[in-house]
Amino acid sequence: MSAVLREGEVVQRNAALGLRFWDVAAATSLIDGLKVEVYPVTRPNARKPALPNPSGVYVAHRVDGLASFEFDASSDPMQAWNDAAAASPPLGGRYRVEVSDPQGRYLPIAFDADLPARGVLSWLAPWMSPPQPIVWPGDAGSPPLLLIERIPLFSSPSRPPPQPLAVVYAQLREAGSGRIPAWCLLAVDIDGVRCGLGMADREGRVAVMFPYPEPPRAVLASPPQARSDFRWTLELSAYWSTNSPPLEPIPSIPDLAHVLGQLAAPCSVIDSLSSPAPPRRLDYRRPTTAKTEGQNAADASWLLLST
């Protein structure tokens, strides 16, 4: 079918979904090259891509089941949104959004959204009543940093750390069982301040990337001495539940609600199996690999968690 556009006519097309992603490590939303797919939760084969616009917002068009909304011909630009808000049952319903990175910089993530969603989507924590944005963990700002109009993306362990970010690597295992805590969250604190939050991949490998904290105060000298040997003491904490995300079978793409819901389930990071471990150190411009001290040689590279 073809259409003839007359001079002076305006074609209006409504976007059912707009997404802005957030690089947790580099604290930026300028992210290109992602693969974003949207489909009704009951029809996984009806996938449609969401593509970035010049502002970096990924926009989904031709979403399955929303053609009448997208091509609404009303003279009032708001009529389609008003109709969608008043529709009973809901016009589009629940959709699944899957995000992956063909370049391997970020770990995959998926979440549900009710469409059409006006404006840039703010993901709402489903475990809250009513669902609402979460406060980003560790944020001490006033007002607190809310997860509004941003979908967090965690670095993959193979991502080269963007300069000049610090990085802490670990390979996680559950103490005793040796199970892989897939999609577990690992946090880094320095001097009691949350600096970084990372997510383990399906194999339990994690890279927590974050900006270096302020260097220790320099000793007064004349002339001032150039220094690049800064060092900080860091502490690790983990968040993981054996049921969320499911332990068996390990999902290939974690659900955002399951991942962030783990923040309510802290677990212990075991520093040493045999004796008090020395403090963990972070040296300027040197990646740090965290492991549990006192393990057998065959397991020496693991960082053990205790649930």
Side-chain angles (χ1 to χ4, degrees):
M1 183 178 70
S2 61
V4 177
L5 186 65
R6 299 182 177 86
E7 184 177 359
E9 287 185 330
V10 176
V11 175
Q12 175 180 316
R13 187 172 182 182
N14 301 304
L17 176 64
L19 297 169
R20 180 180 287 116
F21 296 97
W22 181 43
D23 182 337
V24 172
T28 179
S29 292
L30 301 177
I31 305 172
D32 58 8
L34 298 176
K35 181 181 179 182
V36 183
E37 295 183 311
V38 185
Y39 59 87
V41 294
T42 57
R43 297 190 293 278
N45 294 329
R47 295 170 181 261
K48 300 294 182 183
L51 302 175
N53 65 16
S55 299
V57 176
Y58 283 72
V59 181
H61 288 301
R62 299 186 181 279
V63 177
D64 189 80
L66 292 176
S68 61
F69 166 79
E70 292 191 26
F71 295 98
D72 184 87
S74 303
S75 58
D76 182 358
M78 295 305 301
Q79 189 61 49
W81 291 104
N82 294 336
D83 292 343
S88 180
L91 179 62
R94 182 60 53 91
Y95 286 76
R96 189 72 168 166
V97 181
E98 291 186 0
V99 185
S100 59
D101 181 15
Q103 300 181 43
R105 300 162 296 175
Y106 305 101
L107 294 173
I109 201 76
F111 56 92
D112 291 341
D114 293 326
L115 301 185
R118 187 178 175 184
V120 178
L121 179 74
S122 286
W123 181 80
L124 304 179
W127 62 84
M128 297 181 181
S129 182
Q132 53 191 287
I134 69 167
V135 177
W136 191 246
D139 179 71
S142 179
L145 177 62
L146 294 173
L147 201 62
I148 296 177
E149 295 187 350
R150 294 181 298 179
I151 305 299
L153 295 177
F154 295 94
S155 297
S156 72
S158 60
R159 179 189 186 188
Q163 293 296 331
L165 297 187
V167 57
V168 175
Y169 294 109
Q171 187 172 6
L172 306 178
R173 290 291 186 277
E174 184 184 45
S177 69
R179 294 184 297 187
I180 298 173
W183 315 121
C184 167
L185 293 175
L186 184 68
V188 174
D189 289 25
I190 294 179
D191 296 332
V193 176
R194 179 64 45 84
C195 295
L197 182 68
M199 181 174 72
D201 68 3
R202 200 162 181 258
E203 303 298 324
R205 301 167 298 192
V206 59
V208 187
M209 302 180 188
F210 53 94
Y212 283 100
E214 291 292 326
R217 180 173 297 180
V219 177
L220 294 178
S222 182
Q225 297 179 347
R227 292 187 57 193
S228 60
D229 58 346
F230 307 119
R231 172 179 285 188
W232 299 266
T233 299
L234 59 84
E235 296 181 353
L236 303 179
S237 53
Y239 303 89
W240 181 55
S241 167
T242 55
N243 296 320
S244 183
L247 187 61
E248 295 292 345
I250 297 176
S252 58
I253 300 179
D255 185 276
L256 184 60
H258 289 165
V259 170
L260 295 184
Q262 295 178 120
L263 292 170
C267 59
S268 301
V269 173
I270 300 176
D271 294 320
S272 176
L273 293 176
S274 56
S275 60
R280 301 188 189 280
R281 300 293 189 186
L282 173 68
D283 293 296
Y284 184 56
R285 292 187 180 278
R286 292 183 182 177
T288 296
T289 299
K291 60 183 181 182
T292 297
E293 302 291 341
Q295 300 179 80
N296 296 326
D299 305 331
S301 64
W302 291 357
L303 179 65
L304 300 178
L305 307 180
S306 178
T307 57

